[in-house]
Amino acid sequence: MANRILIVDDAAFMRMMIKDILSKNGFEIAGEANDGAQAVEKFKELSPDLVTMDITMPEMDGITALKEIKKFDPNAKVIMCSAMGQQAMVIDAIQAGAKDFIVKPFQADRVIEAIKKTIG
């Protein structure tokens, strides 16, 4: 069965880019969310195998959403997405339980490598 992935980013074109990379590599898109609060709800509803989570979003940021998801499911696999220059946030995310992070703009091979490594 294809691995089901929840894509979380407040920018629609970023979600589209990730969706495109994942679809071409045989992954199934479980759903999409455009902020952290929606991400937590969708995670509970869809039980995806993995989440790609933007860090900077309105309503609830990615790190807060990550912590909420981890409270709900300690085994959740989340990969953070960040723009350049957000190193401190990336460290926070890893400490909060993120499995890996990918930097925008996305490079397809790096995205796939991070996902395969995380899913195992």
Side-chain angles (χ1 to χ4, degrees), residues 6-12 14-15 31-44 46 51-69 78 80 104:
L6 173 62
I7 300 170
V8 185
D9 199 305
D10 57 328
M14 283 295 176
R15 292 197 308 270
E32 296 179 42
N34 57 17
D35 66 49
Q38 202 180 64
V40 175
E41 281 172 34
K42 293 258 186 184
F43 183 87
K44 290 176 179 176
L46 302 167
V51 180
T52 64
M53 178 86 71
D54 187 21
I55 291 181
T56 314
M57 294 181 291
E59 298 298 316
M60 182 191 286
D61 67 76
I63 294 172
T64 307
L66 166 67
K67 289 175 182 170
E68 289 298 312
I69 287 172
V78 181
M80 303 307 284
K104 298 175 184 177

mmCIF file of all heavy atoms in Angstrom, residues 6-12 14-15 31-44 46 51-69 78 80 104:
data_model
loop_
_atom_site.group_PDB
_atom_site.id
_atom_site.type_symbol
_atom_site.label_atom_id
_atom_site.label_comp_id
_atom_site.label_asym_id
_atom_site.label_seq_id
_atom_site.Cartn_x
_atom_site.Cartn_y
_atom_site.Cartn_z
ATOM 1 N N LEU A 6 0.071 13.597 4.771
ATOM 2 C CA LEU A 6 -0.694 14.827 4.985
ATOM 3 C C LEU A 6 0.257 15.997 4.741
ATOM 4 O O LEU A 6 1.335 16.051 5.332
ATOM 5 C CB LEU A 6 -1.235 14.864 6.419
ATOM 6 C CG LEU A 6 -1.918 16.158 6.874
ATOM 7 C CD1 LEU A 6 -3.160 16.463 6.042
ATOM 8 C CD2 LEU A 6 -2.284 16.079 8.350
ATOM 9 N N ILE A 7 -0.139 16.899 3.851
ATOM 10 C CA ILE A 7 0.696 18.051 3.505
ATOM 11 C C ILE A 7 0.145 19.296 4.189
ATOM 12 O O ILE A 7 -1.031 19.628 4.021
ATOM 13 C CB ILE A 7 0.704 18.267 1.973
ATOM 14 C CG1 ILE A 7 1.254 17.012 1.265
ATOM 15 C CG2 ILE A 7 1.525 19.505 1.603
ATOM 16 C CD1 ILE A 7 1.086 17.026 -0.233
ATOM 17 N N VAL A 8 0.994 19.967 4.968
ATOM 18 C CA VAL A 8 0.558 21.157 5.701
ATOM 19 C C VAL A 8 1.435 22.351 5.328
ATOM 20 O O VAL A 8 2.649 22.337 5.570
ATOM 21 C CB VAL A 8 0.637 20.934 7.229
ATOM 22 C CG1 VAL A 8 0.067 22.138 7.961
ATOM 23 C CG2 VAL A 8 -0.085 19.654 7.638
ATOM 24 N N ASP A 9 0.825 23.358 4.709
ATOM 25 C CA ASP A 9 1.521 24.601 4.366
ATOM 26 C C ASP A 9 0.471 25.654 4.106
ATOM 27 O O ASP A 9 -0.569 25.352 3.520
ATOM 28 C CB ASP A 9 2.394 24.392 3.121
ATOM 29 C CG ASP A 9 3.482 25.455 2.989
ATOM 30 O OD1 ASP A 9 3.128 26.660 2.995
ATOM 31 O OD2 ASP A 9 4.661 25.094 2.887
ATOM 32 N N ASP A 10 0.727 26.892 4.565
ATOM 33 C CA ASP A 10 -0.262 27.938 4.334
ATOM 34 C C ASP A 10 -0.221 28.453 2.895
ATOM 35 O O ASP A 10 -1.146 29.118 2.461
ATOM 36 C CB ASP A 10 -0.105 29.099 5.337
ATOM 37 C CG ASP A 10 1.282 29.716 5.313
ATOM 38 O OD1 ASP A 10 2.258 28.983 5.041
ATOM 39 O OD2 ASP A 10 1.394 30.919 5.582
ATOM 40 N N ALA A 11 0.822 28.126 2.138
ATOM 41 C CA ALA A 11 0.904 28.560 0.737
ATOM 42 C C ALA A 11 0.447 27.427 -0.177
ATOM 43 O O ALA A 11 1.041 26.350 -0.200
ATOM 44 C CB ALA A 11 2.343 28.948 0.406
ATOM 45 N N ALA A 12 -0.622 27.690 -0.923
ATOM 46 C CA ALA A 12 -1.194 26.668 -1.811
ATOM 47 C C ALA A 12 -0.168 26.168 -2.826
ATOM 48 O O ALA A 12 -0.105 24.973 -3.114
ATOM 49 C CB ALA A 12 -2.417 27.229 -2.533
ATOM 50 N N MET A 14 3.016 25.895 -2.489
ATOM 51 C CA MET A 14 3.971 24.997 -1.822
ATOM 52 C C MET A 14 3.344 23.610 -1.649
ATOM 53 O O MET A 14 4.010 22.594 -1.856
ATOM 54 C CB MET A 14 4.382 25.542 -0.448
ATOM 55 C CG MET A 14 5.376 26.650 -0.511
ATOM 56 S SD MET A 14 6.943 26.061 -1.193
ATOM 57 C CE MET A 14 7.848 27.585 -1.258
ATOM 58 N N ARG A 15 2.061 23.585 -1.263
ATOM 59 C CA ARG A 15 1.375 22.288 -1.141
ATOM 60 C C ARG A 15 1.361 21.595 -2.502
ATOM 61 O O ARG A 15 1.579 20.387 -2.590
ATOM 62 C CB ARG A 15 -0.048 22.471 -0.613
ATOM 63 C CG ARG A 15 -0.100 22.944 0.830
ATOM 64 C CD ARG A 15 -1.467 22.739 1.468
ATOM 65 N NE ARG A 15 -2.570 23.282 0.712
ATOM 66 C CZ ARG A 15 -3.049 24.526 0.840
ATOM 67 N NH1 ARG A 15 -2.508 25.362 1.708
ATOM 68 N NH2 ARG A 15 -4.065 24.939 0.123
ATOM 69 N N GLY A 31 -4.269 14.063 2.566
ATOM 70 C CA GLY A 31 -5.027 15.296 2.692
ATOM 71 C C GLY A 31 -4.095 16.487 2.761
ATOM 72 O O GLY A 31 -2.874 16.336 2.701
ATOM 73 N N GLU A 32 -4.702 17.669 2.893
ATOM 74 C CA GLU A 32 -3.938 18.905 2.978
ATOM 75 C C GLU A 32 -4.524 19.782 4.075
ATOM 76 O O GLU A 32 -5.715 19.697 4.358
ATOM 77 C CB GLU A 32 -4.039 19.694 1.669
ATOM 78 C CG GLU A 32 -3.438 19.015 0.471
ATOM 79 C CD GLU A 32 -3.601 19.863 -0.783
ATOM 80 O OE1 GLU A 32 -3.412 21.097 -0.714
ATOM 81 O OE2 GLU A 32 -3.929 19.284 -1.832
ATOM 82 N N ALA A 33 -3.677 20.614 4.660
ATOM 83 C CA ALA A 33 -4.136 21.583 5.656
ATOM 84 C C ALA A 33 -3.357 22.869 5.424
ATOM 85 O O ALA A 33 -2.207 22.828 4.979
ATOM 86 C CB ALA A 33 -3.895 21.055 7.061
ATOM 87 N N ASN A 34 -3.999 24.025 5.714
ATOM 88 C CA ASN A 34 -3.293 25.280 5.470
ATOM 89 C C ASN A 34 -2.910 26.033 6.738
ATOM 90 O O ASN A 34 -2.439 27.149 6.672
ATOM 91 C CB ASN A 34 -4.071 26.176 4.495
ATOM 92 C CG ASN A 34 -5.467 26.468 4.985
ATOM 93 O OD1 ASN A 34 -5.758 26.290 6.157
ATOM 94 N ND2 ASN A 34 -6.329 26.903 4.083
ATOM 95 N N ASP A 35 -3.107 25.409 7.902
ATOM 96 C CA ASP A 35 -2.548 25.965 9.143
ATOM 97 C C ASP A 35 -2.430 24.848 10.176
ATOM 98 O O ASP A 35 -2.925 23.744 9.964
ATOM 99 C CB ASP A 35 -3.384 27.156 9.668
ATOM 100 C CG ASP A 35 -4.779 26.752 10.114
ATOM 101 O OD1 ASP A 35 -4.922 25.773 10.875
ATOM 102 O OD2 ASP A 35 -5.744 27.438 9.725
ATOM 103 N N GLY A 36 -1.763 25.161 11.273
ATOM 104 C CA GLY A 36 -1.483 24.136 12.279
ATOM 105 C C GLY A 36 -2.719 23.544 12.928
ATOM 106 O O GLY A 36 -2.785 22.339 13.163
ATOM 107 N N ALA A 37 -3.714 24.386 13.201
ATOM 108 C CA ALA A 37 -4.938 23.898 13.851
ATOM 109 C C ALA A 37 -5.635 22.885 12.946
ATOM 110 O O ALA A 37 -6.078 21.816 13.396
ATOM 111 C CB ALA A 37 -5.867 25.069 14.170
ATOM 112 N N GLN A 38 -5.709 23.216 11.658
ATOM 113 C CA GLN A 38 -6.326 22.318 10.689
ATOM 114 C C GLN A 38 -5.504 21.025 10.569
ATOM 115 O O GLN A 38 -6.061 19.942 10.428
ATOM 116 C CB GLN A 38 -6.404 23.036 9.338
ATOM 117 C CG GLN A 38 -7.446 22.484 8.409
ATOM 118 C CD GLN A 38 -7.471 23.229 7.086
ATOM 119 O OE1 GLN A 38 -6.500 23.204 6.336
ATOM 120 N NE2 GLN A 38 -8.568 23.894 6.807
ATOM 121 N N ALA A 39 -4.192 21.161 10.660
ATOM 122 C CA ALA A 39 -3.298 19.998 10.572
ATOM 123 C C ALA A 39 -3.594 18.993 11.678
ATOM 124 O O ALA A 39 -3.650 17.787 11.437
ATOM 125 C CB ALA A 39 -1.842 20.455 10.653
ATOM 126 N N VAL A 40 -3.789 19.506 12.899
ATOM 127 C CA VAL A 40 -4.064 18.621 14.047
ATOM 128 C C VAL A 40 -5.390 17.895 13.824
ATOM 129 O O VAL A 40 -5.481 16.672 14.004
ATOM 130 C CB VAL A 40 -4.073 19.423 15.374
ATOM 131 C CG1 VAL A 40 -4.476 18.537 16.544
ATOM 132 C CG2 VAL A 40 -2.698 20.045 15.623
ATOM 133 N N GLU A 41 -6.411 18.629 13.393
ATOM 134 C CA GLU A 41 -7.723 18.011 13.116
ATOM 135 C C GLU A 41 -7.612 16.953 12.036
ATOM 136 O O GLU A 41 -8.131 15.842 12.184
ATOM 137 C CB GLU A 41 -8.716 19.074 12.632
ATOM 138 C CG GLU A 41 -9.316 19.913 13.729
ATOM 139 C CD GLU A 41 -10.145 21.070 13.160
ATOM 140 O OE1 GLU A 41 -10.777 20.887 12.091
ATOM 141 O OE2 GLU A 41 -10.137 22.147 13.784
ATOM 142 N N LYS A 42 -6.944 17.300 10.933
ATOM 143 C CA LYS A 42 -6.816 16.361 9.807
ATOM 144 C C LYS A 42 -6.010 15.135 10.210
ATOM 145 O O LYS A 42 -6.304 14.027 9.776
ATOM 146 C CB LYS A 42 -6.139 17.044 8.610
ATOM 147 C CG LYS A 42 -6.966 18.133 7.992
ATOM 148 C CD LYS A 42 -7.616 17.644 6.737
ATOM 149 C CE LYS A 42 -8.330 18.809 6.051
ATOM 150 N NZ LYS A 42 -9.058 18.399 4.888
ATOM 151 N N PHE A 43 -4.984 15.329 11.040
ATOM 152 C CA PHE A 43 -4.181 14.193 11.485
ATOM 153 C C PHE A 43 -5.067 13.202 12.226
ATOM 154 O O PHE A 43 -5.017 11.998 11.986
ATOM 155 C CB PHE A 43 -3.014 14.634 12.374
ATOM 156 C CG PHE A 43 -2.138 13.485 12.770
ATOM 157 C CD1 PHE A 43 -1.098 13.081 11.947
ATOM 158 C CD2 PHE A 43 -2.384 12.766 13.930
ATOM 159 C CE1 PHE A 43 -0.309 11.982 12.293
ATOM 160 C CE2 PHE A 43 -1.604 11.672 14.284
ATOM 161 C CZ PHE A 43 -0.568 11.283 13.456
ATOM 162 N N LYS A 44 -5.885 13.722 13.141
ATOM 163 C CA LYS A 44 -6.772 12.856 13.942
ATOM 164 C C LYS A 44 -7.788 12.150 13.050
ATOM 165 O O LYS A 44 -8.108 10.984 13.256
ATOM 166 C CB LYS A 44 -7.487 13.683 15.007
ATOM 167 C CG LYS A 44 -6.550 14.171 16.098
ATOM 168 C CD LYS A 44 -7.265 15.071 17.096
ATOM 169 C CE LYS A 44 -6.316 15.530 18.197
ATOM 170 N NZ LYS A 44 -6.945 16.478 19.113
ATOM 171 N N LEU A 46 -7.544 11.590 9.611
ATOM 172 C CA LEU A 46 -7.019 10.799 8.497
ATOM 173 C C LEU A 46 -5.972 9.747 8.887
ATOM 174 O O LEU A 46 -5.700 8.850 8.098
ATOM 175 C CB LEU A 46 -6.403 11.728 7.440
ATOM 176 C CG LEU A 46 -7.337 12.789 6.844
ATOM 177 C CD1 LEU A 46 -6.548 13.822 6.066
ATOM 178 C CD2 LEU A 46 -8.396 12.141 5.960
ATOM 179 N N VAL A 51 3.541 13.325 7.975
ATOM 180 C CA VAL A 51 3.068 14.695 7.776
ATOM 181 C C VAL A 51 4.251 15.553 7.344
ATOM 182 O O VAL A 51 5.322 15.465 7.940
ATOM 183 C CB VAL A 51 2.492 15.290 9.089
ATOM 184 C CG1 VAL A 51 1.990 16.713 8.877
ATOM 185 C CG2 VAL A 51 1.388 14.407 9.656
ATOM 186 N N THR A 52 4.061 16.369 6.291
ATOM 187 C CA THR A 52 5.053 17.413 5.986
ATOM 188 C C THR A 52 4.450 18.688 6.545
ATOM 189 O O THR A 52 3.317 19.035 6.214
ATOM 190 C CB THR A 52 5.341 17.556 4.473
ATOM 191 O OG1 THR A 52 4.166 17.983 3.793
ATOM 192 C CG2 THR A 52 5.848 16.250 3.878
ATOM 193 N N MET A 53 5.183 19.358 7.415
ATOM 194 C CA MET A 53 4.633 20.482 8.182
ATOM 195 C C MET A 53 5.464 21.747 8.001
ATOM 196 O O MET A 53 6.647 21.768 8.343
ATOM 197 C CB MET A 53 4.616 20.084 9.662
ATOM 198 C CG MET A 53 4.130 21.144 10.613
ATOM 199 S SD MET A 53 2.348 21.157 10.798
ATOM 200 C CE MET A 53 2.079 19.651 11.725
ATOM 201 N N ASP A 54 4.823 22.780 7.480
ATOM 202 C CA ASP A 54 5.482 24.079 7.389
ATOM 203 C C ASP A 54 5.652 24.606 8.810
ATOM 204 O O ASP A 54 4.850 24.304 9.686
ATOM 205 C CB ASP A 54 4.595 25.020 6.561
ATOM 206 C CG ASP A 54 5.259 26.353 6.268
ATOM 207 O OD1 ASP A 54 6.496 26.439 6.335
ATOM 208 O OD2 ASP A 54 4.536 27.314 5.964
ATOM 209 N N ILE A 55 6.696 25.408 9.049
ATOM 210 C CA ILE A 55 6.898 25.941 10.397
ATOM 211 C C ILE A 55 6.092 27.223 10.615
ATOM 212 O O ILE A 55 5.384 27.367 11.596
ATOM 213 C CB ILE A 55 8.403 26.191 10.680
ATOM 214 C CG1 ILE A 55 9.142 24.845 10.786
ATOM 215 C CG2 ILE A 55 8.573 26.975 11.990
ATOM 216 C CD1 ILE A 55 10.627 24.954 11.075
ATOM 217 N N THR A 56 6.199 28.152 9.666
ATOM 218 C CA THR A 56 5.582 29.465 9.853
ATOM 219 C C THR A 56 4.204 29.519 9.188
ATOM 220 O O THR A 56 4.123 29.509 7.956
ATOM 221 C CB THR A 56 6.491 30.562 9.251
ATOM 222 O OG1 THR A 56 7.825 30.301 9.669
ATOM 223 C CG2 THR A 56 6.069 31.938 9.716
ATOM 224 N N MET A 57 3.161 29.528 10.006
ATOM 225 C CA MET A 57 1.784 29.568 9.483
ATOM 226 C C MET A 57 0.911 30.405 10.405
ATOM 227 O O MET A 57 1.216 30.546 11.592
ATOM 228 C CB MET A 57 1.202 28.147 9.407
ATOM 229 C CG MET A 57 1.871 27.236 8.420
ATOM 230 S SD MET A 57 1.097 25.598 8.386
ATOM 231 C CE MET A 57 1.565 24.934 9.971
ATOM 232 N N PRO A 58 -0.196 30.930 9.869
ATOM 233 C CA PRO A 58 -1.135 31.674 10.728
ATOM 234 C C PRO A 58 -1.903 30.711 11.641
ATOM 235 O O PRO A 58 -1.781 29.502 11.486
ATOM 236 C CB PRO A 58 -2.075 32.327 9.708
ATOM 237 C CG PRO A 58 -2.010 31.452 8.491
ATOM 238 C CD PRO A 58 -0.612 30.890 8.479
ATOM 239 N N GLU A 59 -2.701 31.243 12.528
ATOM 240 C CA GLU A 59 -3.512 30.454 13.476
ATOM 241 C C GLU A 59 -2.639 29.700 14.479
ATOM 242 O O GLU A 59 -2.527 30.074 15.617
ATOM 243 C CB GLU A 59 -4.458 29.471 12.777
ATOM 244 C CG GLU A 59 -5.498 30.103 11.894
ATOM 245 C CD GLU A 59 -6.479 31.019 12.633
ATOM 246 O OE1 GLU A 59 -6.950 30.642 13.713
ATOM 247 O OE2 GLU A 59 -6.746 32.107 12.095
ATOM 248 N N MET A 60 -2.032 28.628 14.021
ATOM 249 C CA MET A 60 -1.160 27.813 14.878
ATOM 250 C C MET A 60 0.074 27.469 14.054
ATOM 251 O O MET A 60 -0.057 26.958 12.944
ATOM 252 C CB MET A 60 -1.883 26.523 15.288
ATOM 253 C CG MET A 60 -1.075 25.631 16.222
ATOM 254 S SD MET A 60 -1.812 23.983 16.436
ATOM 255 C CE MET A 60 -3.215 24.333 17.488
ATOM 256 N N ASP A 61 1.268 27.765 14.582
ATOM 257 C CA ASP A 61 2.478 27.473 13.810
ATOM 258 C C ASP A 61 2.772 25.972 13.805
ATOM 259 O O ASP A 61 2.171 25.202 14.564
ATOM 260 C CB ASP A 61 3.669 28.275 14.352
ATOM 261 C CG ASP A 61 4.059 27.833 15.749
ATOM 262 O OD1 ASP A 61 4.692 26.763 15.867
ATOM 263 O OD2 ASP A 61 3.724 28.546 16.706
ATOM 264 N N GLY A 62 3.712 25.586 12.949
ATOM 265 C CA GLY A 62 4.025 24.174 12.761
ATOM 266 C C GLY A 62 4.573 23.481 13.988
ATOM 267 O O GLY A 62 4.309 22.304 14.219
ATOM 268 N N ILE A 63 5.348 24.200 14.803
ATOM 269 C CA ILE A 63 5.934 23.567 15.992
ATOM 270 C C ILE A 63 4.852 23.273 17.033
ATOM 271 O O ILE A 63 4.824 22.195 17.623
ATOM 272 C CB ILE A 63 7.085 24.425 16.562
ATOM 273 C CG1 ILE A 63 8.235 24.439 15.529
ATOM 274 C CG2 ILE A 63 7.567 23.876 17.901
ATOM 275 C CD1 ILE A 63 9.364 25.369 15.837
ATOM 276 N N THR A 64 3.933 24.208 17.214
ATOM 277 C CA THR A 64 2.810 23.976 18.138
ATOM 278 C C THR A 64 1.958 22.804 17.639
ATOM 279 O O THR A 64 1.574 21.923 18.412
ATOM 280 C CB THR A 64 1.951 25.252 18.272
ATOM 281 O OG1 THR A 64 2.808 26.333 18.608
ATOM 282 C CG2 THR A 64 0.881 25.096 19.331
ATOM 283 N N ALA A 65 1.689 22.791 16.332
ATOM 284 C CA ALA A 65 0.894 21.700 15.749
ATOM 285 C C ALA A 65 1.610 20.368 15.926
ATOM 286 O O ALA A 65 0.988 19.358 16.268
ATOM 287 C CB ALA A 65 0.640 21.977 14.268
ATOM 288 N N LEU A 66 2.918 20.368 15.724
ATOM 289 C CA LEU A 66 3.723 19.158 15.912
ATOM 290 C C LEU A 66 3.563 18.627 17.344
ATOM 291 O O LEU A 66 3.325 17.436 17.548
ATOM 292 C CB LEU A 66 5.196 19.472 15.620
ATOM 293 C CG LEU A 66 6.239 18.441 16.066
ATOM 294 C CD1 LEU A 66 6.105 17.151 15.283
ATOM 295 C CD2 LEU A 66 7.642 19.002 15.912
ATOM 296 N N LYS A 67 3.654 19.525 18.315
ATOM 297 C CA LYS A 67 3.514 19.117 19.719
ATOM 298 C C LYS A 67 2.129 18.539 19.990
ATOM 299 O O LYS A 67 1.992 17.539 20.704
ATOM 300 C CB LYS A 67 3.797 20.300 20.650
ATOM 301 C CG LYS A 67 5.271 20.689 20.665
ATOM 302 C CD LYS A 67 5.502 21.940 21.496
ATOM 303 C CE LYS A 67 6.971 22.346 21.454
ATOM 304 N NZ LYS A 67 7.200 23.669 22.034
ATOM 305 N N GLU A 68 1.091 19.166 19.418
ATOM 306 C CA GLU A 68 -0.289 18.674 19.587
ATOM 307 C C GLU A 68 -0.451 17.281 18.967
ATOM 308 O O GLU A 68 -1.062 16.394 19.561
ATOM 309 C CB GLU A 68 -1.289 19.646 18.942
ATOM 310 C CG GLU A 68 -1.450 20.953 19.690
ATOM 311 C CD GLU A 68 -1.981 20.758 21.107
ATOM 312 O OE1 GLU A 68 -2.972 20.033 21.282
ATOM 313 O OE2 GLU A 68 -1.382 21.321 22.047
ATOM 314 N N ILE A 69 0.106 17.113 17.765
ATOM 315 C CA ILE A 69 0.015 15.816 17.082
ATOM 316 C C ILE A 69 0.752 14.756 17.894
ATOM 317 O O ILE A 69 0.269 13.637 18.073
ATOM 318 C CB ILE A 69 0.563 15.928 15.631
ATOM 319 C CG1 ILE A 69 -0.454 16.697 14.765
ATOM 320 C CG2 ILE A 69 0.854 14.550 15.042
ATOM 321 C CD1 ILE A 69 0.036 17.057 13.369
ATOM 322 N N VAL A 78 6.629 13.231 11.549
ATOM 323 C CA VAL A 78 6.448 14.569 10.993
ATOM 324 C C VAL A 78 7.781 15.084 10.473
ATOM 325 O O VAL A 78 8.797 15.004 11.166
ATOM 326 C CB VAL A 78 5.893 15.548 12.057
ATOM 327 C CG1 VAL A 78 5.689 16.937 11.464
ATOM 328 C CG2 VAL A 78 4.581 15.021 12.647
ATOM 329 N N MET A 80 9.456 18.562 9.103
ATOM 330 C CA MET A 80 9.224 20.008 9.062
ATOM 331 C C MET A 80 9.768 20.599 7.764
ATOM 332 O O MET A 80 10.780 20.128 7.242
ATOM 333 C CB MET A 80 9.910 20.688 10.250
ATOM 334 C CG MET A 80 9.485 20.167 11.607
ATOM 335 S SD MET A 80 7.706 20.139 11.918
ATOM 336 C CE MET A 80 7.398 21.879 12.217
ATOM 337 N N LYS A 104 12.953 24.965 1.990
ATOM 338 C CA LYS A 104 12.369 25.539 0.788
ATOM 339 C C LYS A 104 13.421 26.407 0.111
ATOM 340 O O LYS A 104 14.221 27.013 0.806
ATOM 341 C CB LYS A 104 11.171 26.427 1.147
ATOM 342 C CG LYS A 104 10.035 25.700 1.818
ATOM 343 C CD LYS A 104 8.988 26.719 2.228
ATOM 344 C CE LYS A 104 7.867 26.061 3.001
ATOM 345 N NZ LYS A 104 6.885 27.038 3.454
#
